[in-house]
Amino acid sequence: LGHFRFRSAIFAPLGGPRTDRPTDPCLSAAAERRETARMSSRRVAMKAVDWMAFGERVPPNQRAMFNALKTRSDALSSKLTSLPEKPLALDWSYYRKTIAKPGMVDEFEKKYNAVKVPEPIDTQGEKINAQEQEANKSAQSYCQASKERISKYEKELGKFKSMVPFDQMTIEDLNETFPETKLDMVKHPYWPHKPISDL
């Protein structure tokens, strides 16, 4: 960073060949190069998000959070796509003609080209994948249990649809349809013909 600050102090009064950056062309170009490299590295690792499928899984009480996330993501994606794939090149020959001290521009060019912006390292991908696998197992287990409950409820519903209407039922019909209502008068001969603990 020190040589960038020094270069700024040397080059700033001289201006540069780029009319859109009249104040400090080298420093601005360097910052743009670093920003472009940083954003380009993210662009490589970027994955498309199926927002429609995502939205279908968002509960109503989290809809506002989902909309804010999508708005933020769209803004970042728009900014990313507006940046060039490759950094803008500096006109070093212009500075060689302008700077009188021999070798200074060559030194700055060498140091400038030596700047490498490391790509972000994924430190959470494995954890997220493990959580996703665990969530998938839990979801599959829940779906299987739900199917079993649905099958059970459908059988009960079929029984209710085919049973004798309540206003036409006899005690025998009630006991046959709902066995838990049948009283054991032999084991419990006195009213209410049930164990005291069941009352």
Side-chain angles (χ1 to χ4, degrees), residues 60-84:
N61 62 329
Q62 297 181 9
R63 179 62 60 176
M65 296 172 60
F66 169 77
N67 292 336
L69 174 63
K70 186 177 185 304
T71 300
R72 178 64 174 164
S73 176
D74 291 344
L76 292 175
S77 298
S78 177
K79 181 179 180 180
L80 181 63
T81 54
S82 67
L83 297 174

Side-chain angles (χ1 to χ4, degrees), residues 15-166:
R18 294 178 57 191
T19 58
D20 60 330
R21 302 180 184 276
T23 57
D24 191 358
C26 281
L27 188 59
S28 299
E32 182 172 353
R33 176 171 177 163
R34 290 194 298 271
E35 178 69 10
T36 301
R38 182 176 66 85
M39 297 299 288
S40 296
S41 66
R42 290 185 178 182
R43 185 181 305 178
V44 171
M46 200 173 188
K47 295 182 180 179
V49 178
D50 189 346
W51 290 103
M52 182 173 295
F54 189 0
E56 292 176 351
R57 292 164 172 77
V58 176
N61 62 329
Q62 297 181 9
R63 179 62 60 176
M65 296 172 60
F66 169 77
N67 292 336
L69 174 63
K70 186 177 185 304
T71 300
R72 178 64 174 164
S73 176
D74 291 344
L76 292 175
S77 298
S78 177
K79 181 179 180 180
L80 181 63
T81 54
S82 67
L83 297 174
E85 288 288 344
K86 297 182 179 180
L88 301 177
L90 290 177
D91 187 0
W92 293 105
S93 61
Y94 166 82
Y95 294 107
R96 290 189 179 91
K97 296 176 182 177
T98 306
I99 303 298
K101 185 176 180 179
M104 177 178 284
V105 176
D106 293 335
E107 181 182 358
F108 275 108
E109 182 180 9
K110 181 180 179 181
K111 292 180 178 180
Y112 180 85
N113 292 331
V115 174
K116 302 295 182 182
V117 180
E119 295 186 4
I121 300 176
D122 182 6
T123 60
Q124 301 296 324
E126 293 184 1
K127 295 180 181 179
I128 294 174
N129 291 336
Q131 292 176 358
E132 181 180 8
Q133 293 178 1
E134 187 65 25
N136 288 337
K137 291 180 181 178
S138 177
Q140 292 175 0
S141 176
Y142 180 83
C143 289
Q144 182 62 32
S146 296
K147 291 179 180 179
E148 294 176 359
R149 288 193 298 269
I150 290 173
S151 177
K152 175 183 176 182
Y153 297 151
E154 286 179 343
K155 291 179 180 179
E156 293 182 359
L157 181 60
K159 182 181 70 173
F160 295 148
K161 288 182 177 180
S162 61
M163 72 180 184
V164 178
F166 278 108

